[in-house]
Amino acid sequence: MTMLLPAVVTATGLHAATDVVPASEVVPGPFLAAPFLVLLPLLGAAVLLLAGRRSDRWGAWFGVATSAAAFVVGAVVFVAMLGLPADERVVDYRLFDWIVSGGLDLAVGLRVDPLSMTFVLLVTFVGTLIHVYAVAYMAHDRDRRRFFAYLNLFVAAMLILVLADSYLLLFVGWEGVGLASYLLIGFWNHNRAYAVAAKKAFVMNRVGDIGLIVALMLLFATFGALDFTTVFAAVPEASTALLTATGLALLVAACGKSAQFPLQAWLGDAMAGPTPVSALIHAATMVTAGVYLVVRSAPIFEGAPTAQLVVVIVGAVTLLFGAIVGCAKDDIKKALAASTMSQIGYMILAAGLGPIGYAFAIFHLVTHGFFKAGMFLGAGSVMHGMDDGVDMRRFGGLARYMKVTWITFMAGWLAILGIPPFSGFWSKDKIIEAAFVPVDGQAWRAWVFGGVALLGAGITAFYMSRLFFMTFSGRRRWNDGSGSADGLGPQDGPVQHPHESPRLMTWPMIVLAVGSVALGGILAAGSRFVTWLEPVTGHAEHHEPVLPVWSLIALTLLLVLAGAALAWRQYAMSSVPVRAPRGSVLTRAARRDLYQDDVNEAVFMRPGQYLTRSLVYADKEMVDGGWMGLAGLVGRVGEWLRGWQNGYVRSYGATMLGGLVVVVAVVLALTTGTAS
Amino acid sequence: MELTHYVVLAAILFSIGAATVLLRRNAIIVFMGVELMLNATNLAFVTFARMHGDVTGQVLAFFVMVVAAAEVVVGLAIIVSIFRTRRSASVDDVNLLKS
Amino acid sequence: MIASGGEAVLFWVLAPLMVLAALSLLFARKAVHAAIAVMFVMVDLAILYIAQEAPFLGVVQVVVYTGAVMMLFLFVLMLVGVDASDSLVETIRGQRWIGVLLGLGLAAVLVGVVSQATFPPAVGLALANEATNPVALARVLFADYVFAMEVVGILLITAAVSALVLTHRRRLTPKVGQRERADAKVAELPSGGRLTPLAAPGVYAQNNAMDTPALDPQGRPIEESVSRILRIRGQERSAGTILEAERDVLVEHEPLRALPALRAQDANERTVQAATSEHPEGEAPAGEVSGPDDPGRSRVPGVPGGED
């Protein structure tokens, strides 16, 4: 703890500067436990899957135990890391040789440094809470054990991803979380729509994976190695063009995994999975893997300013995209998904800004993990109380019936809005501030991206408040079975009995709410979080944004409050129609995810299917046809030859005599030629 | 008249025998064609023996005769037994190799 | 070597005839004609062999080839069907042209070869045949080619055995021996069979023509001795009509007319004679028999107590 200097708490964060620390091969004692971070959840998954139905009774708690054990190990390593001086915190822990071939010499190892430990703590802590939540949420599901097996599998894969010391091992984890996501989204795959949603998620992830594979190929071709140490050391020698290409490929991968434009269409459909899945994977952890990738590959991006610009653009576009879509969604989970998409857009935007943005991207990632997971769990609690209904137009006035849910959700809501002193304020405002900083003296970028971030904050406030008010405030829009004609709620629809969720569900929500409230302040104090990440991200010199910092804060708050107020007026004060009104062009477009699915289908799906059909046709008709035609030709020639066998001795005799005559004639010709 | 004329005669007889084999359907006549061919060969042998002043040619012709006799015996026995079963002496009827 | 004038004449007479005969083998419609043609060729060849200082071979040619082989051919022709004639219409498409073409082609090629070849000056067999031709042949055969000769001997034996084997017909029905035949005859007795063979004309028969029934020991005519067809056609003659014809001859010898049987019979037989053509048994025997005429009974002169 000696290195956490009580520095001046300013928005810019003056601190003791340590630059990027090279990885050391020396593994301090407690770090040796690091492999267990992966092994424990992996063991949990294996046991639960292999034991089968026999483990149904204790399977859920076993899964919770392995996840909690992983958190304990992570905490141990974290504490040990805190005990080390900052320049000793980046450790490459080599485990064993993996690929030993002529061109590539790769070992499996773990990169234990502040960045990976941040993720480790986030994943295991939030993950364990969600495991506990799921014990109660999935209590009536007969496949609950399998659910926990997959959750453990996910945790193991995510930890491989963040702890990997090479791009290839990261890819292993990358694929692993993709697999776990597929399995979990399609958990209730007896419902065809859910299975299709899982497939869609997987396929779009795959498109992103191509980017990662291309990046791997480029790195291997250029540097001949795939581990972070070698690659980052050799980056200064590579050409900008190559780095740009690699950076763009990595960006494609990040877009796929983090549901950024243009690969964001799967996230909404992914809400088909059980709510704990949405909370853990599609809010807190898996979708943040893209941000991790970009931040981890910082040296590459810093050598390619064009790629960085593209990253920022993608982040900005997604930010607005998600916000607009979120305004029109009536499904509570889909609205939260759009919000996730938008917030990750913020993170990507920050990551693309360069050294000044990395730490804030991760900071926002951590706080977002808490408050978004908390809100998802709250949504799950609401659904649990409303008989698994998700249509917010059928909610309303639930605050009275679900107090704990209401309070914890409120904490998350305020955090995401960025109201001080909630955690979101600390992280998001930093991002907006960094966005307004002119990079390389290009002021237009500051204005454009800063403005976009600011606008996004306002829209976020609007739609998140809309969500909150539609659900908890206002009049009840559901049937309470009272048959009363007080005109308050419609008397049609199923009878609902909203109630608070059991303790196993509410306690995790409470913990996360506490995090949503306090974590931001704790981490921002003394810029300790930025300092903590410095061995990885490097020290960023402070630059002044184009607008003064205080004005930015004020402007942000203004927009946020305006948005919230608008939502209050429209959804809390007025009556919300139960059937969605037609809405404006933009509303209808937003309901259809701004036509992203239609574009995807028209541009990719149909031509792809047409291409496949043509290839099948070509294969069948031309290739197969060619070979079969050849076979048929041979057969026909054989048949023709067979006709010569007419069985008559005299024909055969004629053939023999003919041959004889020919032979003798030839011999005669030859001998008369030579001997005459 | 030269001795080669004998050989030419033998060649002509041989060809006629060969043509008979090809053109006639009655098995026995085909056989007779074969016999004619063998005899033509014998004539050639004898002529060559005379040419070279060596009776080896005649010995060979002798052997040919013996073998031809044996062959006729067996061949005709076959024809008879085929005739018994099929009531036909035409070589065209033994066409089971037809595919 | 230029052959002498006599040989030349011989050759030029025989050679065209041989070729013609060979061609008639090719074109003959009846198989027997073809066989005759071949025989002609073979005999001519024998003559040529003799002309070519190979007398032994010439004789062997006649004995073996013409005598044995061609006879064998003729026997088989007889078995197969002497008057079976081939239709000269060709069944295999194109075979006729191929045959003709190849035949001509073969002839052309062979004659070409022979005419192109340069032969050493002919030596003739005068020296080789000094100790007569068979002796010379024997010397070569039993000295140089003895092994081949033994093998050919085996071949001949094999050929003979094979001919037996090939034409052997397997018995399809069980062999009927004497015992079986006797049993079968006894079994047929109830249905009118007969144990004994068919009768000879008989001691008392006057003639043994086919249309006259034989006489059994009692002098009665045996019906089955005349062919069934003749019986059906009514062409059987009664034993009586013959004796009738001869009786006149006998009667003229007066001493015989003293026999009382003859005199009595005179009167009877003319009355019954007319209606006896289909019932030989009913016919009164044409013998001088006394006593009532009994159908089926005949009395022959001189037989004491002919009642049975």
Side-chain angles (χ1 to χ4, degrees), chain A residues 314-326 342 345 451-453 455-457 459 594:
Chain A
V314 164
V317 169
T318 312
L319 198 160
L320 282 182
F321 196 102
I324 294 172
V325 168
S342 178
V452 164
L455 186 63
I459 305 179
L594 291 180

Side-chain angles (χ1 to χ4, degrees), chain A residues 181-428:
Chain A
S181 165
Y182 168 76
L183 290 171
L184 284 164
I185 294 173
F187 189 71
W188 289 316
N189 54 15
H190 43 262
N191 184 325
R192 194 163 187 273
Y194 298 166
V196 170
K199 196 168 57 167
K200 180 175 174 180
F202 193 81
V203 171
M204 292 196 89
N205 259 228
R206 213 76 190 108
V207 175
D209 292 348
I210 299 295
L212 190 48
I213 292 172
V214 168
L216 284 175
M217 289 196 272
L218 285 169
L219 287 174
F220 177 57
T222 319
F223 302 121
L226 289 173
D227 55 293
F228 293 147
T229 320
T230 319
V231 168
F232 296 156
V235 157
E237 294 142 20
S239 69
T240 314
L242 175 88
L243 290 176
T244 311
T246 313
L248 288 175
L250 289 171
L251 177 63
V252 169
C255 288
K257 196 62 83 181
S258 298
Q260 299 298 289
F261 183 85
L263 295 173
Q264 84 287 7
W266 64 272
L267 193 59
D269 286 46
M271 296 299 117
T275 309
V277 171
S278 310
L280 180 60
I281 300 185
H282 304 121
T285 43
M286 187 185 95
V287 291
T288 56
V291 182
Y292 170 80
L293 182 68
V294 174
V295 173
R296 180 59 87 190
S297 310
I300 295 178
F301 280 102
E302 274 163 42
T306 321
Q308 279 185 319
L309 180 60
V310 177
V311 171
V312 171
I313 292 173
V314 164
V317 169
T318 312
L319 198 160
L320 282 182
F321 196 102
I324 294 172
V325 168
C327 291
K329 290 289 180 186
D330 291 332
D331 181 329
I332 188 171
K333 284 179 71 174
K334 290 210 161 83
L336 286 172
S339 158
T340 306
M341 193 194 301
S342 178
Q343 295 302 307
I344 297 181
Y346 270 102
M347 297 177 218
I348 295 280
L349 180 95
L353 290 174
I356 51 169
Y358 296 141
F360 301 132
I362 304 298
F363 190 6
H364 193 55
L365 196 151
V366 174
T367 56
H368 173 265
F370 274 82
F371 59 67
K372 190 49 68 63
M375 282 199 282
F376 260 109
L377 293 189
S381 175
V382 168
M383 284 162 62
H384 177 85
M386 293 295 280
D387 204 20
D388 285 332
V390 288
D391 188 1
M392 287 193 288
R393 293 196 179 269
R394 295 232 137 228
F395 290 168
L398 288 176
R400 212 154 25 106
Y401 301 89
M402 303 177 169
K403 288 229 159 24
V404 179
T405 307
W406 179 56
I407 306 261
T408 52
F409 205 100
M410 192 190 310
W413 169 61
L414 292 172
I416 197 173
L417 253 55
I419 309 286
F422 291 89
S423 56
F425 163 72
W426 301 101
S427 53
K428 201 197 295 196

Side-chain angles (χ1 to χ4, degrees), chain C residues 29-96:
Chain C
R29 196 163 292 184
K30 287 193 192 283
V32 178
H33 296 173
I36 303 293
V38 171
M39 266 192 256
F40 181 76
V41 171
M42 292 192 177
V43 170
D44 287 349
L45 276 173
I47 297 173
L48 285 181
Y49 292 162
I50 296 176
Q52 295 230 56
E53 305 178 66
F56 179 72
L57 222 52
V59 173
V60 168
Q61 168 88 357
V62 172
V63 168
V64 169
Y65 253 115
T66 324
V69 170
M70 289 318 297
M71 290 306 125
L72 192 56
F73 268 105
L74 282 174
F75 269 113
V76 171
L77 269 177
M78 178 182 71
L79 277 175
V80 163
V82 153
D83 49 356
S85 61
D86 253 0
S87 103
L88 284 180
V89 175
E90 183 55 68
T91 46
I92 303 174
R93 215 163 44 114
Q95 180 77 357
R96 175 164 293 179

Side-chain angles (χ1 to χ4, degrees), chain A residues 411-453:
Chain A
W413 169 61
L414 292 172
I416 197 173
L417 253 55
I419 309 286
F422 291 89
S423 56
F425 163 72
W426 301 101
S427 53
K428 201 197 295 196
D429 267 41
K430 278 279 176 296
I431 294 180
I432 296 176
E433 190 189 308
F436 269 105
V437 170
V439 175
D440 298 328
Q442 291 177 312
W444 68 270
R445 288 167 64 152
W447 285 109
V448 168
F449 296 122
V452 164

Side-chain angles (χ1 to χ4, degrees), chain C residues 4-303:
Chain C
S4 67
E7 191 181 335
V9 169
L10 181 70
F11 178 80
W12 285 112
V13 166
L14 284 181
L17 288 175
M18 286 164 75
V19 171
L20 279 174
L23 285 173
S24 78
L25 159 68
L26 184 57
F27 293 116
R29 196 163 292 184
K30 287 193 192 283
V32 178
H33 296 173
I36 303 293
V38 171
M39 266 192 256
F40 181 76
V41 171
M42 292 192 177
V43 170
D44 287 349
L45 276 173
I47 297 173
L48 285 181
Y49 292 162
I50 296 176
Q52 295 230 56
E53 305 178 66
F56 179 72
L57 222 52
V59 173
V60 168
Q61 168 88 357
V62 172
V63 168
V64 169
Y65 253 115
T66 324
V69 170
M70 289 318 297
M71 290 306 125
L72 192 56
F73 268 105
L74 282 174
F75 269 113
V76 171
L77 269 177
M78 178 182 71
L79 277 175
V80 163
V82 153
D83 49 356
S85 61
D86 253 0
S87 103
L88 284 180
V89 175
E90 183 55 68
T91 46
I92 303 174
R93 215 163 44 114
Q95 180 77 357
R96 175 164 293 179
W97 299 112
I98 291 175
V100 168
L101 203 66
L102 285 176
L104 287 174
L106 185 64
V109 164
L110 288 174
V111 168
V113 167
V114 169
S115 46
Q116 296 269 20
T118 44
F119 292 101
V123 171
L125 286 169
L127 186 62
N129 280 352
E130 214 172 344
T132 78
N133 182 250
V135 171
L137 268 178
R139 285 214 176 105
V140 175
L141 187 63
F142 286 97
D144 297 333
Y145 295 102
V146 63
F147 187 63
M149 195 198 64
E150 300 296 338
V151 169
V152 160
I154 298 173
L155 174 69
L156 277 175
I157 296 173
T158 313
V161 170
S162 76
L164 283 172
V165 166
L166 281 167
T167 50
H168 173 63
R169 274 207 272 210
R170 205 163 3 140
R171 177 173 289 283
L172 293 171
T173 52
K175 185 167 181 176
V176 180
Q178 193 174 28
R179 178 69 197 240
E180 288 80 23
R181 201 179 287 279
D183 288 341
K185 279 190 179 171
V186 170
E188 271 178 22
L189 271 181
S191 51
R194 182 191 18 171
L195 266 183
T196 55
L198 281 174
V203 172
Y204 298 106
Q206 293 296 314
N207 70 16
N208 60 355
M210 273 178 65
D211 54 357
T212 313
L215 300 176
D216 69 1
Q218 281 74 38
R220 294 187 294 267
I222 301 173
E223 185 188 318
E224 297 119 331
S225 60
V226 176
S227 162
R228 201 174 116 258
I229 294 172
L230 292 176
R231 281 187 259 143
I232 290 171
R233 287 186 191 165
Q235 289 171 338
E236 183 188 0
R237 279 199 290 170
S238 69
T241 41
I242 307 298
L243 284 178
E244 160 86 12
E246 290 182 12
R247 191 187 55 126
D248 296 335
V249 177
L250 293 171
V251 165
E252 277 159 27
H253 293 83
E254 267 308 310
L256 285 178
R257 295 229 36 101
L259 292 173
L262 263 179
R263 272 203 292 272
Q265 199 64 338
D266 256 347
N268 296 350
E269 72 174 19
R270 285 199 181 87
T271 54
V272 298
Q273 196 181 343
T276 59
S277 55
E278 45 276 45
H279 300 296
E281 298 93 324
E283 183 181 28
E288 275 80 12
V289 184
S290 62
D293 54 290
D294 213 290
R297 284 184 48 139
S298 64
R299 285 209 187 241
V300 200
V303 174

